[in-house]
Amino acid sequence: MTPDELAPARVDLVIVGGGFTGCAAALEAARTGATVALLEAETIGHGGSGRNVGLVNAGLWLPPETVIAEMGDAPGRRLLAALSAAPGQVFDLIAREGIACEATRAGTLHLAHSAAGLRDLRERCRQGGALGAPLALLDAAEAARRTGSAAFHGALFDPRAGTVQPLAYARGLARAARAAGARLHERAPVAAIARKDSGWEVTANGTVLRADALLLATNAYHGAAAGMPRPRFTPVHYSQFATAPLPDALRARILPGGEGCWDTATVMSSFRMDRAGRLVLGGIGDVSGPGAWFHTRWARRKLRALFPELPSVPFSHHWQGRIAMTSDHIPKLLDIGPRGFAIFGYSGRGIAPGTALGTAAARALLGAGPEALPLPVRTGHSEHLPALRAAYYECGATLTHALLPLPKP
């Protein structure tokens, strides 16, 4: 996609960040007839959106009763209802805009890595069912049939969910926003943000944009800029390894139904199959950092433990991305000034929540008000020792990948 030329302008809404949240907001705003400028420091989808696992999940990592306990009854139920519907919002948007992103709505499998994990899934199933979620608890035999692996004690199936190619989805949102009239500017890092003349003044590449409303949607890839509040979160790395395309016989046995998967382990892992037949395996840890050798070795061992028939299939690609983790694992929507929001902290659940919250934020900023938001607006958020917590997560993932034996199938 060829970016638009950046020039001084007055617009209704300036968005900083070209991931799921920012692009969904730009699309919604432009479709309502608002003038929109989106500024991305790198390229669309460069950050966590393009490096995402690709699972379009409903809800958060937390069990529903924990969300309600953290947020309060009415706000918690409001957010859970919005995120229950969010996968449908994603797939409807993909269909409406004709986004080619390998969209597969075949559900997801939350896999029990142990007997304790299965007990956790049983409780999640109970809590979700009480709120009307169409979840199904699967036994070990059914989990093995659906995944092609005998390594799991059972699974929680969520038919609301699915998978996408995340970078293609982010870029598809951007193309749809541009077609609707939004102006998208890549390689445009923001240098300064200020309030001026009852609006916002945003400077990027020496060019000043003025806007009535502002949305900061940088999440875990926030850059320093004068006057721009820094979201507080713990950065956690997640790395992924893609095999070469599998032979047809193996593709027919591994995830034959097309579900996306992740497990209940504390140092969690995930896997899904892409359209070309590559198995994409992911795990917590930074494959570009000091622990790279351990994470890569773990990926090979994990693949062998899950699918013994794949020991000779090479990994053809690997990459890593940053997650903005909050201590309570609930996204944050901050009031940063008159008609100004910052959204961040998806804790690894970016696709559906980012789409839903970005869309809602655009509506709220352009006149619908706070009633359009499924998440309460806060005036601030802090995290305790985020750098130390980030080191703890990476050290824990590296030690786990280096020392702990993998379960035998």
Side-chain angles (χ1 to χ4, degrees):
M1 183 181 68
T2 303
D4 294 305
E5 182 179 351
L6 186 59
R10 176 85 190 195
V11 296
D12 297 315
L13 174 64
V14 165
I15 298 167
V16 182
F20 302 133
T21 304
C23 290
L27 174 57
E28 178 64 18
R31 278 173 52 84
T32 66
T35 53
V36 186
L38 183 150
L39 302 170
E40 165 56 47
E42 298 291 342
T43 57
I44 297 296
H46 169 86
S49 294
R51 302 161 194 267
N52 191 280
V53 172
L55 305 185
V56 187
N57 282 309
L60 300 172
W61 291 119
L62 302 174
E65 290 179 3
T66 304
V67 175
I68 291 170
E70 287 281 350
M71 298 182 66
D73 188 75
R77 290 177 183 274
R78 180 179 174 88
L79 179 61
L80 288 170
L83 297 186
S84 176
Q89 184 177 351
V90 169
F91 288 106
D92 288 348
L93 192 157
I94 288 169
R96 186 190 78 196
E97 302 296 339
I99 298 175
C101 61
E102 302 184 14
T104 304
R105 197 174 189 184
T108 54
L109 295 168
H110 194 177
L111 300 165
H113 79 294
S114 66
L118 184 59
R119 290 193 294 272
D120 175 60
L121 294 183
R122 186 174 292 113
E123 178 60 16
R124 287 172 180 264
C125 187
R126 182 194 68 77
Q127 293 184 26
L131 293 176
L135 306 174
L137 190 67
L138 311 180
D139 63 16
E142 181 63 10
R145 187 189 71 79
R146 295 202 186 198
T147 61
S149 173
F152 302 105
H153 292 244
L156 187 62
F157 174 64
D158 189 343
R160 299 170 295 178
T163 63
V164 295
Q165 207 292 343
L167 181 58
Y169 175 57
R171 290 178 174 173
L173 285 175
R175 282 191 292 270
R178 190 180 189 191
R183 296 186 65 81
L184 308 179
H185 307 288
E186 296 181 321
R187 309 290 184 192
V190 171
I193 292 178
R195 287 286 300 170
K196 189 172 184 180
D197 299 329
S198 300
W200 294 94
E201 189 174 89
V202 182
T203 304
N205 290 345
T207 300
V208 176
L209 298 176
R210 293 178 173 84
D212 297 321
L214 171 69
L215 176 62
L216 298 184
T218 52
N219 203 35
Y221 286 76
H222 188 81
M228 184 160 61
R230 176 173 290 278
R232 299 289 290 176
F233 57 84
T234 297
V236 176
H237 287 85
Y238 198 89
S239 294
Q240 298 186 75
F241 305 82
T243 68
L246 303 182
D248 289 344
L250 290 177
R251 290 177 64 176
R253 295 204 303 270
I254 298 173
L255 295 174
E259 301 95 339
C261 303
W262 79 104
D263 66 26
T264 57
T266 301
V267 180
M268 64 155 284
S269 59
S270 62
F271 58 94
R272 67 177 180 89
M273 191 80 73
D274 75 3
R275 190 67 55 83
R278 290 180 285 256
L279 188 69
V280 183
L281 173 70
I284 293 175
D286 184 2
V287 77
S288 68
W293 185 87
F294 297 105
H295 300 315
T296 302
R297 178 175 175 267
W298 163 86
R300 173 54 57 194
R301 292 166 57 231
K302 182 72 171 181
L303 190 68
R304 185 169 61 250
L306 294 177
F307 306 107
E309 63 269 46
L310 298 184
S312 61
V313 176
F315 288 122
S316 57
H317 299 85
H318 68 266
W319 62 94
Q320 58 82 24
R322 289 198 302 273
I323 294 169
M325 186 81 72
T326 60
S327 55
D328 61 5
H329 306 301
I330 295 173
K332 300 294 174 280
L333 199 163
L334 302 188
D335 183 342
I336 58 173
R339 297 185 68 184
F341 291 153
I343 303 177
F344 63 94
Y346 296 117
S347 296
R349 286 279 178 106
I351 298 178
T355 301
L357 291 177
T359 300
R363 293 172 182 164
L365 288 170
L366 294 172
E371 297 77 17
L373 298 167
L375 190 65
V377 181
R378 302 165 58 125
T379 56
H381 173 71
S382 63
E383 288 285 323
H384 185 61
L385 300 174
L388 184 60
R389 289 167 64 89
Y392 168 80
Y393 283 123
E394 178 60 27
C395 182
T398 302
L399 289 173
T400 299
H401 289 169
L403 301 176
L404 292 185
L406 295 170
K408 295 182 179 179

